[in-house]
Amino acid sequence: MVDFTLTDEQKDLRELAHNFAEKEIRPVAWEYDKEGTWPQEIIDKAWEVGLMNTHTPEAYGGPGLDYLSGCLIEEEFGWGCSGIGTSLAANGLASAPVAIGGTEETKKKYLGMLIEEPKLASFCLTEPDAGSDVSGMKTRAVKKGDKYILNGSKCFITNGGYADWFTVYAKTDPDQGHRGISAFVVDGKQDNVTVDKKEDKMGQRASNTATITFDEVEVPAENLLGEENHGFKLAMMTLDRTRPGVAAMAVGIARAAFEFASEYSKERVQFGVPIAMHQAIQFLIADMATKVDAGRLLTWLSAVQLDQGKRNTLACSEAKRFAADSAMEVTTDAVQVYGGYGFIKEYPVEKLMRDAKIMQLYEGTSQIQRLVIAREVLLPRTIEETIPEAEAKGREADQKVAETAPAAA
Ligand code: CAA
């Protein structure tokens, strides 16, 4: 049986996130976008009401929410403002490799830090010459006694300028391609970790995107995540867990654009009737509604598979690809419905169109998602994965929640 009914707990969470987006995010979103304002007070409030670090297991002080609940929250963040939403959600990306591969001590220290105070952490994978091609990274970690010495530069790092710690990927065996990459937790507040550049972006301007340089940084060997030279796999497993949330955020952007365009089409009169009476506009609105709903269904499927302990690589790439491309299409069509006014900053939809663009780029471009989808359908392979023991242990206490997640497929 397929049942899309949310539990009462999930409905309450969605309402909490929606009210937060409506009262705390929306009223300032366009102003923050204009100035590129860092939303610290919104981060503090979201942390206070429990809308951050949602997947941190109860064993480390977090709420240990299921992945579907995370998607419900991220759709509302995207609806409110995806720039601010990205700032609120990015701890999840940095935390996932720690939850999967960290030692008990590492998890207590670093996951716990985010729960105790409204602190931030960033995921450092991308480099100037290694974007889609993760294996091309040049950052090096060399083991010396009980430490690794880290050197390199990471770019496009979300929340990088404000992070207290980083999950950093570096080559530990440069001759082994993707099998020579390891992941580490690195303290952010030390002299030889520097924030070099804050990007001035087209959209999601309230989020912070920085370049971080690591210069002879000493990393304790116990901060290695998982096994040495297994970092690539850890990165892929992390993205499988976070792409559903990115897809949900894209659905939220599309839903916001659809709602603005629908309302406007009922008010704007041309040729003597509201433009919603013209079939040309109705068809645009109909396609928007369909893309929002279809994107959400794929997103929920990719999250529910995770909650069931299944590898969701295909579903999350399909969800992320479709929801991101749909968000771009829906926001572009919303501008079209507004006509010339859509192009003006005084009206809400041009921001949504600018914000939507990054959804097709970060956490794997739409082209990379297609590559993953094609591989999964043409050459399906068995990857030893599901929820590994280390993560399952942390989530044991949360099984009750996970079991109540509706089975979408
Ligand atoms: N789960 C577990 N293991 C996986 C996996 C998965 N989903 N996908 C691949 N692997 C394993 C494979 O089994 C293989 O293992 P072996 O070494 O045992 O053979 C290994 O990883 C290599 O897999 P591939 O052969 O598929 O690797 P590839 O190099 O050919 O392709 C790729 C990989 C899909 C192109 C990948 O590099 C990729 O996803 N690139 C995009 C990177 C990305 O999303 N970057 C965004 C950065 S995050 C961000 O945007 C941050 C922000 O702040 C917003």
Side-chain angles (χ1 to χ4, degrees):
M1 193 180 106
V2 178
D3 182 358
F4 297 107
T5 313
L6 298 175
T7 63
D8 287 344
E9 190 182 351
Q10 287 166 335
K11 284 181 198 158
D12 288 348
L13 266 171
R14 185 168 62 177
E15 195 183 332
L16 175 73
H18 182 73
N19 289 341
F20 187 86
E22 193 169 41
K23 293 192 179 74
E24 307 291 345
I25 300 180
R26 271 267 173 114
V28 296
W30 277 262
E31 201 53 38
Y32 279 31
D33 168 74
K34 201 159 121 198
E35 307 295 341
T37 309
W38 173 244
Q40 187 60 52
E41 70 283 10
I42 300 176
I43 292 171
D44 293 346
K45 283 182 192 160
W47 179 86
E48 195 68 47
V49 297
L51 289 172
M52 287 178 69
N53 309 304
T54 45
H55 301 309
T56 302
E58 285 181 356
Y60 308 104
L65 292 181
D66 55 283
Y67 286 95
L68 179 58
S69 293
C71 287
L72 300 176
I73 294 171
E74 289 199 46
E75 180 178 330
E76 299 310 319
F77 285 170
W79 177 88
C81 170
S82 62
I84 296 171
T86 292
S87 307
L88 297 176
N91 274 1
L93 184 59
S95 297
V98 178
I100 299 169
T103 62
E104 200 56 25
E105 279 315 300
T106 306
K107 288 191 221 183
K108 274 192 191 138
K109 180 174 173 186
Y110 291 97
L111 298 180
M113 208 189 282
L114 305 179
I115 301 298
E116 280 150 24
E117 280 180 66
K119 290 191 166 174
L120 299 173
S122 297
F123 180 81
C124 298
L125 184 68
T126 304
E127 298 183 6
D129 295 323
S132 296
D133 178 14
V134 174
S135 309
M137 70 173 62
K138 295 198 177 74
T139 296
R140 280 281 275 138
V142 178
K143 190 151 190 213
K144 286 210 174 125
D146 59 355
K147 294 186 176 77
Y148 286 87
I149 307 299
L150 189 68
N151 279 289
S153 208
K154 299 284 178 178
C155 64
F156 303 154
I157 306 306
T158 299
N159 290 354
Y162 297 89
D164 278 276
W165 55 265
F166 300 96
T167 27
V168 183
Y169 294 81
K171 284 267 171 78
T172 34
D173 189 346
D175 298 328
Q176 296 303 315
H178 74 265
R179 292 185 180 158
I181 293 171
S182 303
F184 303 89
V185 183
V186 180
D187 281 310
K189 304 291 176 202
Q190 41 183 325
D191 289 345
N192 34 7
V193 176
T194 49
V195 181
D196 291 334
K197 189 181 174 203
K198 179 194 171 231
E199 304 294 348
D200 186 9
K201 307 189 297 282
M202 169 198 275
Q204 294 206 347
R205 292 175 51 75
S207 74
N208 174 267
T209 308
T211 295
I212 313 293
T213 297
F214 304 90
D215 180 19
E216 295 289 309
V217 175
E218 291 186 359
V219 183
E222 63 263 25
N223 284 20
L224 175 71
L225 298 173
E227 288 173 54
E228 195 177 76
N229 297 324
H230 283 67
F232 184 90
K233 212 164 190 158
L234 193 57
M236 294 303 116
M237 287 166 66
T238 295
L239 293 168
D240 281 355
R241 281 154 182 72
T242 56
R243 282 174 181 159
V246 176
M249 190 113 54
V251 172
I253 299 173
R255 193 181 106 216
F258 157 72
E259 288 174 4
F260 279 124
S262 303
E263 282 312 305
Y264 183 80
S265 72
K266 290 185 228 163
E267 289 161 11
R268 170 80 171 159
V269 173
Q270 290 290 279
F271 303 103
V273 290
I275 58 172
M277 301 290 284
H278 298 301
Q279 199 178 57
I281 299 298
Q282 288 171 8
F283 282 10
L284 286 175
I285 300 284
D287 284 352
M288 287 181 190
T290 309
K291 285 170 187 169
V292 170
D293 288 339
R296 185 183 297 113
L297 284 178
L298 270 176
T299 300
W300 283 19
L301 171 64
S302 68
V304 169
Q305 285 183 353
L306 276 181
D307 290 328
Q308 292 171 339
K310 295 177 187 161
R311 187 163 72 86
N312 68 337
T313 310
L314 174 62
C316 79
S317 281
E318 287 178 344
K320 206 265 181 188
R321 201 292 293 161
F322 183 83
D325 289 351
S326 294
M328 197 66 247
E329 292 159 12
V330 169
T331 54
T332 306
D333 284 348
V335 170
Q336 196 68 24
V337 170
Y338 272 72
Y341 293 109
F343 202 60
I344 309 288
K345 282 190 183 288
E346 208 180 315
Y347 291 81
V349 286
E350 68 83 36
K351 170 187 182 291
L352 298 178
M353 186 176 164
R354 287 186 284 106
D355 286 349
K357 186 62 211 173
I358 191 66
M359 309 312 289
Q360 296 177 299
L361 302 171
Y362 69 16
E363 292 210 27
T365 63
S366 290
Q367 287 68 32
I368 285 295
Q369 306 309 331
R370 286 183 175 88
L371 195 79
V372 173
I373 294 164
R375 277 188 196 173
E376 290 287 320
V377 297
L378 292 170
L379 294 164
R381 53 188 170 178
T382 309
I383 295 181
E384 207 50 46
E385 221 248 76
T386 66
I387 305 255
E389 207 188 323
E391 193 189 13
K393 195 161 166 276
R395 287 175 62 83
E396 241 167 38
D398 312 314
Q399 283 312 302
K400 197 167 59 62
V401 181
E403 278 162 19
T404 57

